């Protein structure tokens, strides 16, 4: 079987980008994730295009460049909807909703997080379900709907416990 060098190169670009993200070297991460995006576009690998947009958006968000983050998350959502990839859709809606929460556009946050929850629940995509429920809980706290925030945080905690996801457990308990 012949190796697909472009796939290997793409994996390297994206992994290098993820390492730079973990190291908080966000500009370097964007550089490598853009290389992965361009290669994915060249090869017309739609799911990878959507994933690259999300990763780039995450790094722009960390840099405080919310407009650029939003553009990338929207592009990911459009790709996900075009190819009908529910996991990518749920992740894109989570990213959009969480960003809108961060910039206090709470109506938009509720809209996208609700869509994401619906899709993630239908797909039983547990990690994104937990992330969505935690993010939705944070929005509800800002909207002063503490009962809904409590319910959402508990849903996230149940999922986090099932998966043994320490980060989602931390986030859920923080909200409570």
């Amino acid at each position: 079987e012949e190796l697909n060098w472009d796939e290997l190169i793409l994996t390297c670009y994206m992994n290098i980008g993820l390492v730079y993200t973990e190291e908080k070297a966000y500009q370097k991460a964007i550089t490598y994730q853009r290389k992965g995006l361009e290669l994915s576009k060249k090869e017309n690998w739609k799911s990878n295009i959507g994933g690259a947009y999300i990763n780039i958006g995450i790094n722009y968000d960390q840099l405080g460049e919310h407009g650029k983050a939003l553009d990338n998350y929207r592009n990911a959502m459009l790709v996900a909807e075009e190819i009908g990839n529910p996991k990518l859709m749920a992740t894109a809606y989570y990213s959009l909703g969480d960003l809108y929460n961060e910039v206090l556009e709470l109506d938009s946050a509720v809209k996208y997080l609700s869509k994401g929850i619906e899709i993630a629940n239908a797909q039983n995509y547990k990690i994104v379900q937990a992330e969505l429920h935690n993010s939705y809980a944070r929005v509800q706290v800002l909207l002063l709907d503490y009962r809904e925030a409590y319910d959402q945080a508990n849903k996230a905690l149940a999922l986090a416990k099932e998966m043994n996801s320490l980060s989602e457990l931390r986030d859920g308990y923080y909200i409570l």
Side-chain angles (χ1 to χ4, degrees):
E1 184 175 326
E2 190 174 320
L3 289 175
N4 185 332
W5 288 105
D6 284 341
E7 283 183 19
L8 294 173
I9 291 168
L10 172 65
T11 300
C12 289
Y13 284 153
M14 299 314 287
N15 286 340
I16 291 168
L18 292 172
V19 168
Y20 278 129
T21 298
E22 287 298 314
E23 295 293 317
K24 299 184 183 343
Y26 302 119
Q27 281 300 134
K28 287 182 179 179
I30 290 167
T31 298
Y32 280 93
Q33 289 161 349
R34 279 188 181 151
K35 288 179 181 187
L37 175 63
E38 293 309 313
L39 181 55
S40 295
K41 285 181 176 180
K42 177 183 150 225
E43 298 294 335
N44 200 32
W45 294 328
K46 297 285 187 172
S47 288
N48 292 326
I49 292 169
Y53 277 129
I54 287 172
N55 288 337
I56 292 167
I58 289 168
N59 285 289
Y60 277 125
D61 187 27
Q62 291 298 314
L63 290 169
E65 296 185 42
H66 300 302
K68 289 180 180 180
L70 186 60
D71 289 343
N72 280 280
Y73 293 153
R74 284 182 180 149
N75 286 336
M77 180 189 65
L78 293 172
V79 169
E81 289 174 345
E82 175 189 337
I83 63 175
N85 182 324
K87 287 185 177 182
L88 185 57
M89 276 188 265
T91 303
Y93 289 141
Y94 163 72
S95 299
L96 283 163
D98 205 49
L99 179 62
Y100 279 122
N101 182 22
E102 190 177 334
V103 298
L104 301 177
E105 291 185 32
L106 302 181
D107 289 341
S108 293
V110 166
K111 172 185 163 185
Y112 286 108
L113 293 171
S114 295
K115 281 183 173 184
I117 288 170
E118 182 181 324
I119 293 167
N121 287 348
Q123 297 296 312
N124 202 28
Y125 190 25
K126 291 184 190 303
I127 189 66
V128 173
Q129 283 175 287
E131 291 170 338
L132 283 156
H133 286 296
N134 273 330
S135 188
Y136 197 87
R138 288 190 296 275
V139 172
Q140 295 308 311
V141 167
L142 294 172
L143 291 171
L144 307 178
D145 187 345
Y146 300 117
R147 170 56 53 198
E148 183 64 20
Y150 178 81
D151 291 345
Q152 292 294 321
N154 277 312
K155 288 177 183 178
L157 284 170
L159 289 160
K161 286 177 187 174
E162 185 180 328
M163 296 179 303
N164 198 28
S165 172
L166 298 179
S167 63
E168 295 309 317
L169 282 166
R170 177 201 62 218
D171 292 350
Y173 282 121
Y174 180 79
I175 293 164
L176 293 176

